[in-house]
Amino acid sequence: MAPLSEHTVESLESRLVAEGFRASHAARVLRAFYTAGGDVDWTALRLPRALAERLAASGPAGPAVAGPAGSTGPTLAARQVASDGTTKLLLRLADGRAVETVMMPDDRGDRVAGCVSSQVGCAMGCDFCATTRTGFERNLTAGEIVEQFLALRREARAVGRRVQTLVFMGMGEPMLNLEPVLAAVRRIAANELGGLGWRQVTVSTVGIVPGIDALAASGLNVHLAVSLHAPDDATRARLLPMGRRFGVEEILAAADRYQAATGRPVTVQYCLLQGVNDSPAQARQLARLLAGRRMHVNLLRYNPTGLSLRGVEYAPASAAVTDGFLAELRDRGVVAHVRRPRGREIEAACGQLRRRAEAAPLQS
Ligand code: SF4
């Protein structure tokens, strides 16, 4: 049996029938699986003993503990916890590759935000990102994305919290693996399974225009975040090689279409890099671009990752420059905030933990 995280209710019904069990068990099995964060004591459920034994023998136990023999679910390869509670998990997949998943506690004591990966490695080559240095390895399956959510659910539960929001902002470009991303979101958001709700899910992109349009056409109504990072094509192309393929205006036009189709304001992500994209003139240019648009700007503090692919050592904009950039935007009517940095001391920028773990295996 494929890992339960790869199943929809319908596909599990077919599988159970093929193995001689009643289809009607499928919904209960999956509900228990999601509710328990993937770590279910099947024998404690009211299931036919043969089915409980079948599930216990071959179902994935989930990443928090090593799976039983035959399990194909991911296992936890490393965990880092920062003083602010931000927790980074490195999950080892069945083929030996690894992905990162991050849990960020909310100021409200009972909640966390989760960040999941959509690919192993990434082909986008963003110059300031640690993920880019290992290149693209493969797409994640819907189940491997679901497993990250379940791992977050268990981590949150262990500290007395629950997963309130989920962002696709980890390793990889979600729009280049859209079908599995959409399939995972459908399960995570389904009332009878993950129960997170469409509004609690955000899909982020570096600006893959066809992907933005496809996400709008999917009807899922999740939030969209666009990583712009520069108000002009030349600066953007230096930072994000994909910037050469889709121009700033083209990306914002796609974001406009997304907003019109879903009614959801799009978030513009902008990582402030000292001396690169943080000048008052660039803030004013960004404000001009967003004039008349109901978008919200998230200013991010850069988490240094060492020398970039192009040999640049990027540094975060200073607090004073960040405040000045924010003021330039707000003075021009742009809704903008500075996102509080999380887990600075634990290599919370995507790709860092994996890169270090590949160099020297970590203890969990
Ligand atoms: S920032 Fe995101 S899209 Fe860019 S290389 Fe890193 S993981 Fe890929």
Side-chain angles (χ1 to χ4, degrees):
M1 191 183 296
L4 290 177
S5 53
E6 298 289 359
H7 278 289
T8 61
V9 173
E10 295 73 26
S11 70
L12 187 58
E13 283 174 349
S14 306
R15 187 67 221 165
L16 291 183
V17 168
E19 295 198 16
F21 300 108
R22 290 212 326 255
S24 58
H25 295 308
R28 263 182 70 213
V29 164
L30 278 188
R31 200 177 313 120
F33 179 71
Y34 278 78
T35 304
D39 202 5
V40 189
D41 176 2
W42 295 110
T43 55
L45 290 181
R46 284 188 167 186
L47 290 172
R49 187 199 270 185
L51 177 56
E53 286 173 356
R54 174 82 177 89
L55 290 164
S58 65
V65 292
S71 165
T72 52
T75 54
L76 185 67
R79 177 197 282 114
Q80 288 183 323
V81 184
S83 52
D84 65 3
T86 299
T87 302
K88 192 162 193 173
L89 307 175
L90 187 71
L91 303 181
R92 183 77 57 197
L93 306 173
D95 65 357
R97 293 182 164 90
V99 288
E100 296 179 354
T101 303
V102 184
M103 178 183 85
M104 294 157 286
D106 193 275
D107 287 341
R108 284 165 287 194
D110 61 341
R111 302 168 183 199
V112 302
C115 175
V116 294
S117 298
S118 54
Q119 298 179 312
V120 185
C122 186
M124 295 296 93
C126 301
D127 200 43
F128 50 84
C129 172
T131 298
T132 217
R133 284 165 221 171
T134 52
F136 171 74
E137 293 181 30
R138 72 166 169 88
N139 286 324
L140 292 180
T141 66
E144 288 167 335
I145 296 168
V146 165
E147 294 279 4
Q148 294 175 68
F149 168 68
L150 297 177
L152 289 167
R153 196 167 241 192
R154 282 195 302 280
E155 287 289 326
R157 193 170 292 161
V159 292
R161 293 171 179 253
R162 63 188 157 84
V163 179
Q164 177 69 12
T165 55
L166 194 73
V167 295
F168 283 78
M169 269 181 212
M171 294 165 57
E173 165 54 56
M175 300 303 184
L176 297 184
N177 188 25
L178 196 55
E179 277 313 309
V181 166
L182 296 182
V185 170
R186 283 193 183 95
R187 290 174 223 167
I188 289 165
N191 270 338
E192 68 277 21
L193 299 178
L196 208 55
W198 313 117
R199 289 173 192 204
Q200 290 156 274
V201 177
T202 299
V203 175
S204 173
T205 176
V206 294
I208 308 294
V209 168
I212 294 172
D213 288 332
L215 184 64
S218 75
L220 284 194
N221 244 17
V222 294
H223 283 292
L224 173 70
V226 174
S227 294
L228 208 60
H229 302 322
D232 64 280
D233 289 334
T235 309
R236 197 164 191 277
R238 270 169 58 205
L239 294 174
L240 301 95
M242 285 307 293
R244 293 192 178 88
R245 193 162 150 212
F246 301 107
V248 168
E249 288 285 3
E250 208 180 344
I251 293 167
L252 290 177
D256 286 339
R257 291 194 293 278
Y258 190 85
Q259 207 159 286
T262 63
R264 294 200 183 286
V266 171
T267 299
V268 172
Q269 308 261 42
Y270 197 106
C271 183
L272 286 165
L273 301 164
Q274 189 182 81
V276 177
N277 62 358
D278 63 346
S279 72
Q282 285 165 312
R284 291 191 288 273
Q285 195 175 353
L286 180 61
R288 279 196 297 279
L289 277 173
L290 298 181
R293 291 185 152 111
R294 204 165 53 94
M295 294 178 190
H296 166 232
V297 177
N298 237 347
L299 296 176
L300 316 175
R301 295 293 312 280
Y302 175 61
N303 203 348
T305 61
L307 267 192
S308 76
L309 272 186
R310 292 171 56 238
V312 179
E313 185 136 13
Y314 294 102
S318 69
V321 167
T322 301
D323 289 347
F325 200 97
L326 180 67
E328 292 282 358
L329 292 177
R330 287 183 171 172
D331 287 351
R332 285 159 184 80
V334 177
V335 179
H337 294 92
V338 178
R339 199 166 80 187
R340 189 156 55 93
R342 310 302 304 254
R344 290 226 148 218
E345 75 271 28
I346 61 155
E347 302 172 310
C350 69
Q352 283 178 291
L353 174 59
R354 175 169 171 263
R355 197 153 58 104
R356 187 151 78 84
E358 308 293 87
L362 290 176
Q363 298 300 308
S364 58

Short mmCIF file of all heavy atoms in Angstrom, two decimals, residues 17-47:
data_model
loop_
_atom_site.label_atom_id
_atom_site.label_comp_id
_atom_site.label_asym_id
_atom_site.label_seq_id
_atom_site.Cartn_x
_atom_site.Cartn_y
_atom_site.Cartn_z
N VAL A 17 -10.60 -1.95 -1.18
CA VAL A 17 -11.45 -2.95 -1.85
C VAL A 17 -10.56 -3.98 -2.56
O VAL A 17 -10.80 -5.20 -2.47
CB VAL A 17 -12.41 -2.26 -2.84
CG1 VAL A 17 -13.09 -3.29 -3.75
CG2 VAL A 17 -13.44 -1.44 -2.07
N ALA A 18 -9.50 -3.49 -3.21
CA ALA A 18 -8.60 -4.40 -3.92
C ALA A 18 -7.93 -5.39 -2.96
O ALA A 18 -7.56 -6.49 -3.35
CB ALA A 18 -7.53 -3.61 -4.67
N GLU A 19 -7.78 -4.97 -1.70
CA GLU A 19 -7.13 -5.86 -0.72
C GLU A 19 -8.15 -6.63 0.13
O GLU A 19 -7.80 -7.26 1.13
CB GLU A 19 -6.21 -5.05 0.19
CG GLU A 19 -5.05 -4.45 -0.58
CD GLU A 19 -3.89 -4.02 0.32
OE1 GLU A 19 -3.85 -4.45 1.49
OE2 GLU A 19 -3.05 -3.26 -0.16
N GLY A 20 -9.44 -6.53 -0.25
CA GLY A 20 -10.45 -7.33 0.41
C GLY A 20 -11.09 -6.68 1.62
O GLY A 20 -11.79 -7.34 2.40
N PHE A 21 -10.88 -5.36 1.82
CA PHE A 21 -11.51 -4.65 2.93
C PHE A 21 -12.67 -3.80 2.41
O PHE A 21 -12.78 -3.55 1.21
CB PHE A 21 -10.49 -3.75 3.64
CG PHE A 21 -9.31 -4.49 4.19
CD1 PHE A 21 -8.05 -4.38 3.59
CD2 PHE A 21 -9.44 -5.31 5.30
CE1 PHE A 21 -6.96 -5.07 4.10
CE2 PHE A 21 -8.35 -6.00 5.81
CZ PHE A 21 -7.12 -5.89 5.21
N ARG A 22 -13.48 -3.31 3.35
CA ARG A 22 -14.63 -2.49 2.93
C ARG A 22 -14.17 -1.07 2.62
O ARG A 22 -13.37 -0.48 3.36
CB ARG A 22 -15.68 -2.45 4.04
CG ARG A 22 -16.37 -3.79 4.23
CD ARG A 22 -17.82 -3.65 4.70
NE ARG A 22 -18.06 -2.53 5.57
CZ ARG A 22 -18.25 -2.63 6.89
NH1 ARG A 22 -18.18 -3.81 7.48
NH2 ARG A 22 -18.53 -1.58 7.60
N ALA A 23 -14.73 -0.50 1.54
CA ALA A 23 -14.37 0.87 1.13
C ALA A 23 -14.71 1.87 2.22
O ALA A 23 -14.05 2.89 2.39
CB ALA A 23 -15.10 1.23 -0.17
N SER A 24 -15.75 1.58 2.99
CA SER A 24 -16.23 2.54 3.98
C SER A 24 -15.22 2.83 5.09
O SER A 24 -15.35 3.79 5.83
CB SER A 24 -17.55 2.06 4.59
OG SER A 24 -17.34 0.79 5.18
N HIS A 25 -14.17 2.00 5.21
CA HIS A 25 -13.15 2.27 6.23
C HIS A 25 -12.22 3.42 5.83
O HIS A 25 -11.53 3.98 6.68
CB HIS A 25 -12.29 1.03 6.48
CG HIS A 25 -13.04 -0.12 7.08
ND1 HIS A 25 -13.81 0.00 8.22
CD2 HIS A 25 -13.15 -1.42 6.69
CE1 HIS A 25 -14.36 -1.16 8.50
NE2 HIS A 25 -13.99 -2.05 7.59
N ALA A 26 -12.18 3.73 4.54
CA ALA A 26 -11.14 4.65 4.04
C ALA A 26 -11.21 6.02 4.72
O ALA A 26 -10.19 6.55 5.18
CB ALA A 26 -11.27 4.80 2.53
N ALA A 27 -12.40 6.59 4.78
CA ALA A 27 -12.52 7.95 5.35
C ALA A 27 -12.08 7.95 6.82
O ALA A 27 -11.37 8.88 7.25
CB ALA A 27 -13.96 8.45 5.22
N ARG A 28 -12.47 6.91 7.55
CA ARG A 28 -12.08 6.86 8.99
C ARG A 28 -10.58 6.70 9.15
O ARG A 28 -9.96 7.30 10.02
CB ARG A 28 -12.79 5.69 9.67
CG ARG A 28 -14.05 6.13 10.37
CD ARG A 28 -14.70 4.99 11.08
NE ARG A 28 -13.96 4.54 12.23
CZ ARG A 28 -13.92 3.27 12.64
NH1 ARG A 28 -14.54 2.35 11.95
NH2 ARG A 28 -13.26 2.94 13.71
N VAL A 29 -10.00 5.85 8.30
CA VAL A 29 -8.56 5.62 8.39
C VAL A 29 -7.80 6.92 8.12
O VAL A 29 -6.90 7.32 8.86
CB VAL A 29 -8.13 4.52 7.38
CG1 VAL A 29 -6.63 4.52 7.16
CG2 VAL A 29 -8.61 3.15 7.87
N LEU A 30 -8.20 7.61 7.06
CA LEU A 30 -7.47 8.85 6.72
C LEU A 30 -7.71 9.94 7.76
O LEU A 30 -6.80 10.70 8.10
CB LEU A 30 -7.88 9.35 5.33
CG LEU A 30 -7.18 8.68 4.15
CD1 LEU A 30 -7.52 9.40 2.86
CD2 LEU A 30 -5.67 8.63 4.33
N ARG A 31 -8.94 10.01 8.29
CA ARG A 31 -9.22 11.02 9.31
C ARG A 31 -8.34 10.78 10.54
O ARG A 31 -7.74 11.70 11.09
CB ARG A 31 -10.69 11.01 9.70
CG ARG A 31 -11.15 12.30 10.36
CD ARG A 31 -12.63 12.30 10.68
NE ARG A 31 -13.46 11.84 9.59
CZ ARG A 31 -14.28 10.79 9.65
NH1 ARG A 31 -14.40 10.09 10.76
NH2 ARG A 31 -15.00 10.44 8.62
N ALA A 32 -8.23 9.52 10.94
CA ALA A 32 -7.39 9.19 12.10
C ALA A 32 -5.93 9.52 11.81
O ALA A 32 -5.21 10.04 12.67
CB ALA A 32 -7.54 7.70 12.43
N PHE A 33 -5.51 9.25 10.59
CA PHE A 33 -4.13 9.49 10.18
C PHE A 33 -3.79 10.99 10.28
O PHE A 33 -2.77 11.38 10.84
CB PHE A 33 -3.95 8.97 8.75
CG PHE A 33 -2.58 9.18 8.17
CD1 PHE A 33 -1.49 8.44 8.64
CD2 PHE A 33 -2.37 10.10 7.16
CE1 PHE A 33 -0.23 8.62 8.09
CE2 PHE A 33 -1.10 10.28 6.61
CZ PHE A 33 -0.04 9.54 7.08
N TYR A 34 -4.67 11.83 9.75
CA TYR A 34 -4.42 13.28 9.77
C TYR A 34 -4.57 13.84 11.18
O TYR A 34 -3.78 14.69 11.60
CB TYR A 34 -5.35 13.99 8.79
CG TYR A 34 -4.86 13.94 7.36
CD1 TYR A 34 -5.02 12.80 6.59
CD2 TYR A 34 -4.23 15.04 6.79
CE1 TYR A 34 -4.55 12.74 5.28
CE2 TYR A 34 -3.76 14.99 5.48
CZ TYR A 34 -3.93 13.85 4.74
OH TYR A 34 -3.45 13.80 3.45
N THR A 35 -5.56 13.37 11.90
CA THR A 35 -5.78 13.89 13.25
C THR A 35 -4.59 13.60 14.14
O THR A 35 -4.17 14.44 14.94
CB THR A 35 -7.05 13.27 13.86
OG1 THR A 35 -8.14 13.54 12.98
CG2 THR A 35 -7.36 13.85 15.24
N ALA A 36 -4.02 12.42 14.00
CA ALA A 36 -2.90 12.03 14.86
C ALA A 36 -1.56 12.55 14.32
O ALA A 36 -0.51 12.22 14.87
CB ALA A 36 -2.85 10.51 14.97
N GLY A 37 -1.60 13.33 13.26
CA GLY A 37 -0.33 13.80 12.69
C GLY A 37 0.47 12.65 12.11
O GLY A 37 1.69 12.67 12.08
N GLY A 38 -0.23 11.64 11.62
CA GLY A 38 0.43 10.53 10.94
C GLY A 38 0.90 9.42 11.86
O GLY A 38 1.35 8.37 11.39
N ASP A 39 0.82 9.63 13.16
CA ASP A 39 1.39 8.65 14.10
C ASP A 39 0.24 7.96 14.84
O ASP A 39 -0.11 8.34 15.95
CB ASP A 39 2.29 9.42 15.07
CG ASP A 39 3.31 8.49 15.72
OD1 ASP A 39 3.36 7.31 15.34
OD2 ASP A 39 4.05 8.97 16.59
N VAL A 40 -0.34 6.95 14.22
CA VAL A 40 -1.58 6.36 14.73
C VAL A 40 -1.33 5.00 15.34
O VAL A 40 -0.57 4.19 14.80
CB VAL A 40 -2.60 6.18 13.56
CG1 VAL A 40 -3.97 5.78 14.10
CG2 VAL A 40 -2.70 7.43 12.72
N ASP A 41 -1.99 4.75 16.47
CA ASP A 41 -2.03 3.39 17.02
C ASP A 41 -3.26 2.72 16.40
O ASP A 41 -4.38 2.87 16.89
CB ASP A 41 -2.13 3.45 18.55
CG ASP A 41 -2.26 2.05 19.14
OD1 ASP A 41 -2.23 1.06 18.37
OD2 ASP A 41 -2.40 1.96 20.38
N TRP A 42 -3.04 1.99 15.32
CA TRP A 42 -4.18 1.45 14.56
C TRP A 42 -4.98 0.45 15.36
O TRP A 42 -6.19 0.31 15.18
CB TRP A 42 -3.68 0.82 13.25
CG TRP A 42 -3.08 1.83 12.33
CD1 TRP A 42 -1.76 1.96 12.00
CD2 TRP A 42 -3.76 2.89 11.66
NE1 TRP A 42 -1.59 3.04 11.15
CE2 TRP A 42 -2.80 3.62 10.93
CE3 TRP A 42 -5.10 3.29 11.59
CZ2 TRP A 42 -3.13 4.72 10.14
CZ3 TRP A 42 -5.44 4.39 10.81
CH2 TRP A 42 -4.46 5.09 10.10
N THR A 43 -4.31 -0.25 16.27
CA THR A 43 -5.02 -1.29 17.01
C THR A 43 -5.99 -0.67 18.02
O THR A 43 -6.89 -1.34 18.53
CB THR A 43 -4.03 -2.21 17.74
OG1 THR A 43 -3.19 -1.38 18.56
CG2 THR A 43 -3.17 -2.98 16.77
N ALA A 44 -5.81 0.62 18.32
CA ALA A 44 -6.71 1.28 19.28
C ALA A 44 -7.99 1.76 18.60
O ALA A 44 -8.92 2.19 19.28
CB ALA A 44 -5.99 2.45 19.94
N LEU A 45 -8.01 1.70 17.28
CA LEU A 45 -9.21 2.15 16.56
C LEU A 45 -10.15 0.97 16.36
O LEU A 45 -9.73 -0.18 16.37
CB LEU A 45 -8.84 2.71 15.19
CG LEU A 45 -8.09 4.03 15.16
CD1 LEU A 45 -7.83 4.42 13.72
CD2 LEU A 45 -8.88 5.12 15.87
N ARG A 46 -11.41 1.29 16.16
CA ARG A 46 -12.38 0.22 15.89
C ARG A 46 -12.33 -0.15 14.42
O ARG A 46 -13.16 0.29 13.63
CB ARG A 46 -13.77 0.70 16.25
CG ARG A 46 -14.02 0.72 17.71
CD ARG A 46 -15.44 1.01 17.93
NE ARG A 46 -15.87 0.77 19.27
CZ ARG A 46 -17.12 0.85 19.64
NH1 ARG A 46 -18.04 1.14 18.75
NH2 ARG A 46 -17.45 0.65 20.88
N LEU A 47 -11.34 -0.94 14.10
CA LEU A 47 -11.18 -1.41 12.72
C LEU A 47 -11.09 -2.92 12.75
O LEU A 47 -10.67 -3.50 13.78
CB LEU A 47 -9.88 -0.85 12.12
CG LEU A 47 -9.82 0.65 11.82
CD1 LEU A 47 -8.39 1.03 11.42
CD2 LEU A 47 -10.79 1.04 10.71
#
